[in-house]
Amino acid sequence: MSGADQHVRGPARAEYTVLPASRQAKGEHTMTFGIVVGNRGFFPDHLAKSGREEMIAVLRAAGMEAVVPGPDDTKYGAVETRAEAIKCAELFRANRERIDGIIISLPNFGDEKAAAETVRLAGLNVPVLVQATPDEVGKMTLADRRDSFCGKMSLCNNLKQYGIPYSLTTLHTEAPSSDTFQKDLEWFAAVCRVVKGLKGLRIGAIGARPAAFNTVRFSEKILERDGIAVEPIDLSEILGRIGRRKDDDPAVQAKLKALGEYVPGTGNAPAAALMKMAKLAAVIDEWMQANDLAISAVQCWTSIEEYFGVVPCTVMSMMSNAMRSSACEVDVCGAIAMHALGLASGTPSALLDWNNNYGDDPDKAVCFHCSNLPKHFFEAVRMDFQEIIAGAVGQANAWGTCVGRIKAGPVTYARFSTDDQTGRIRGYVGEGEFTRDPLATFGGAGVVRIPRFQELLRSICENGFEHHVAGNLSRSAAAVHEAVTKYFGWDIYWHQ
């Protein structure tokens, strides 16, 4: 047994921070990373010890957990040999359900083969971040020189050979305690949330797409190949279940109360319309829970207005506001984009139309929907009737839309589409801002400014993308793009 191997002593134990009692009671998941601390014997191994401690402290300060071998399990709790790689991989596998991503930290050059083998042997199939700590100009002697600058290249070379996708920090080398790494850690956590949230995603498709909307066609088979399942239900079945519900049903009454608390203006709506919305919300909730569905896409017009007598916008808005994205016009791919943005930012997403030019400014447009935007999006919001559909089905059958101005601030937008010709998922992502430019219109709307917007519009048209776009009031494009391109292999253009 080599000198390094003799430091492997029995089953490895995870080191991790403990959730505050208040968060444990709520059952909240804490972002958890498996940590591989690289080490290499003829480099200063005291750097592995201090580097491991620094990384754990940084994660703890950020409210995150670390699964990492202890110093009694391997030398300094680092990974240098195959035996240590096996030990660390076993630890990771034992914590498979907890680990959201892996961080490979190089406080010195590190053994690139052992680190890469740890990831491969663990088989977690989660995002991987490679971090290397910089040398200090005054500490370049044999006692303190790191050489992680060079070691990172060797590690990445091995990961590439092993077919393991990985992410990189902003700077080639950056200390775990640096401000730059803090931002990279937040970004990587967002990447991990998106990847975890899209894997095994189950979507409810309620009703058939409106006949006029060829634009929202999609391929279930292409989505299924990436582990995203679509569970359809006919709108007639939803309406049939509603017909069996009594007004005094506890679930219906709970939804009726929630509607009144969610958005102003319900007092102007007919009582019969509010009762229909409450029953619709109760039935959809129960169906989604019974089928383990995270998000939905709904046939929002015009059958439900003609044959049931409400628009489902407020019901869908409430779901989206609760981080259960709900897209209109059975736009399943639009719902996926909403969900990805929400996973990255931790805030609700909306589905919008790229709808109108704004005067003669080439970088501005009006984003609009009727609307089912989550109330998180609005400066102020009220319930009203849907003016467009009311012209066809009558005002009495068009109550339930959310009307208001989208608040000013940053926005990340995204569009995903299944491409049957290539068998791939394609799309685009980018960032802009909602402005305070004057706008007098109906529905849910705002003026958006996108840098080089005409180039984006040309790309949308040349690639045949839909007029729907998901939006989120955050700056999350980098995380979403990294997650879906690096770890799913989707063909996504990042407009910058």
Side-chain angles (χ1 to χ4, degrees):
M1 181 179 291
S2 71
D5 287 348
Q6 67 184 1
H7 289 278
V8 180
R9 308 183 183 97
R13 297 178 296 278
E15 286 201 6
Y16 54 90
T17 56
V18 179
L19 274 173
S22 60
R23 293 185 63 186
Q24 291 184 54
K26 294 179 182 179
E28 292 184 25
H29 173 74
T30 296
M31 183 62 58
T32 301
F33 295 116
I35 306 299
V36 180
V37 180
N39 192 22
R40 203 178 191 106
F42 44 84
F43 288 89
D45 54 12
H46 70 86
L47 297 173
K49 178 179 182 296
S50 59
R52 175 185 176 277
E53 293 169 351
E54 181 182 8
M55 182 62 76
I56 292 173
V58 165
L59 292 176
R60 183 176 288 122
M64 301 173 184
E65 294 185 354
V67 175
V68 57
D72 293 332
D73 303 316
T74 65
K75 186 179 182 181
Y76 298 130
V79 174
E80 182 178 359
T81 67
R82 179 167 174 81
E84 290 174 337
I86 291 171
K87 187 69 64 175
C88 187
E90 289 174 348
L91 176 64
F92 286 0
R93 287 198 301 272
N95 289 272
R96 177 184 297 273
E97 297 303 316
R98 293 177 52 219
I99 294 175
D100 300 295
I102 293 173
I103 299 175
I104 303 177
S105 181
L106 299 179
N108 62 26
F109 189 104
D111 188 281
E112 63 270 27
K113 185 176 179 181
E117 285 188 337
T118 301
V119 179
R120 181 162 68 179
L121 291 169
L124 301 189
N125 196 27
V126 296
V128 176
L129 178 66
V130 179
Q131 175 272 331
T133 302
D135 277 299
E136 298 177 48
V137 173
K139 295 182 178 181
M140 297 289 283
T141 66
L142 285 175
D144 295 298
R145 203 176 83 176
R146 298 178 183 274
D147 285 22
S148 52
F149 185 100
C150 184
K152 181 175 180 177
M153 301 176 203
S154 294
L155 171 60
C156 292
N157 176 277
N158 275 254
L159 291 172
K160 185 68 72 173
Q161 289 185 47
Y162 285 23
I164 297 171
Y166 55 90
S167 298
L168 300 172
T169 53
T170 300
L171 302 178
H172 185 67
T173 55
E174 51 189 52
S177 57
S178 67
D179 290 342
T180 304
F181 184 74
Q182 303 295 313
K183 294 176 182 177
D184 283 341
L185 184 61
E186 293 176 5
W187 165 79
F188 184 62
V191 171
C192 293
R193 289 194 299 270
V194 175
V195 171
K196 186 174 183 178
L198 291 182
K199 285 182 178 178
L201 177 64
R202 289 176 53 78
I203 308 165
I206 301 173
R209 64 169 174 82
F213 272 60
N214 283 357
T215 48
V216 296
R217 285 173 168 170
F218 72 100
S219 168
E220 288 190 41
K221 292 181 179 180
I222 292 175
L223 293 178
E224 191 68 60
R225 188 182 60 202
D226 279 330
I228 298 174
V230 179
E231 184 76 13
I233 187 170
D234 195 82
L235 188 59
S236 65
E237 188 169 347
I238 293 290
L239 298 181
R241 295 183 186 188
I242 290 172
R244 297 173 182 170
R245 305 302 285 263
K246 295 182 178 180
D247 291 358
D248 60 356
D249 183 306
V252 172
Q253 286 296 314
K255 288 297 183 183
L256 189 63
K257 182 174 183 291
L259 280 164
E261 295 172 348
Y262 179 71
V263 60
T266 54
N268 298 324
L274 292 173
M275 180 59 70
K276 289 177 181 179
M277 293 179 218
K279 291 181 178 181
L280 175 65
V283 166
I284 289 177
D285 268 9
E286 290 171 5
W287 173 71
M288 291 184 67
Q289 290 174 17
N291 290 277
D292 192 26
L293 304 172
I295 62 176
S296 62
V298 181
Q299 186 201 96
C300 54
W301 62 276
T302 57
S303 294
I304 197 166
E305 291 82 13
E306 291 186 50
Y307 302 109
F308 185 54
V310 294
V311 294
C313 297
T314 298
V315 173
M316 297 169 68
S317 172
M318 291 172 69
M319 290 192 288
S320 292
N321 208 63
M323 301 298 291
R324 296 184 295 130
S325 296
S326 189
C328 46
E329 290 144 359
V330 203
D331 187 354
V332 167
C333 290
I336 297 171
M338 292 171 67
H339 190 55
L341 292 173
L343 289 165
S345 73
T347 62
S349 300
L351 192 68
L352 298 156
D353 285 350
W354 295 118
N355 210 74
N356 313 89
N357 60 288
Y358 187 76
D360 57 2
D361 191 325
D363 285 338
K364 290 182 180 178
V366 175
C367 283
F368 165 87
H369 246 160
C370 305
S371 75
N372 63 359
L373 276 58
K375 71 176 183 180
H376 172 77
F377 260 64
F378 292 105
E379 293 176 347
V381 60
R382 71 180 191 280
M383 181 186 287
D384 212 328
F385 65 92
Q386 216 279 40
E387 295 188 37
I388 299 176
I389 291 177
V393 302
Q395 179 178 324
N397 294 320
W399 277 94
T401 192
C402 294
V403 175
R405 175 68 186 262
I406 297 173
K407 57 191 176 186
V411 62
T412 299
Y413 54 86
R415 179 68 223 180
F416 303 150
S417 301
T418 55
D419 186 338
D420 291 86
Q421 296 179 356
T422 64
R424 301 187 67 187
I425 296 175
R426 302 187 306 132
Y428 60 88
V429 65
E431 294 177 356
E433 62 177 345
F434 279 106
T435 74
R436 292 185 172 85
D437 290 307
L439 181 66
T441 189
F442 52 91
V447 178
V448 67
R449 189 186 73 82
I450 308 292
R452 298 172 35 243
F453 191 33
Q454 294 302 309
E455 294 177 34
L456 175 62
L457 292 170
R458 180 174 292 275
S459 176
I460 290 171
C461 291
E462 287 184 342
N463 285 282
F465 290 127
E466 298 82 346
H467 66 291
H468 284 172
V469 63
N472 188 278
L473 303 182
S474 66
R475 297 208 180 278
S476 306
V480 172
H481 185 265
E482 180 80 0
V484 298
T485 58
K486 186 70 63 69
Y487 299 103
F488 286 92
W490 296 357
D491 181 13
I492 305 298
Y493 162 61
W494 185 1
H495 182 72
Q496 299 184 70

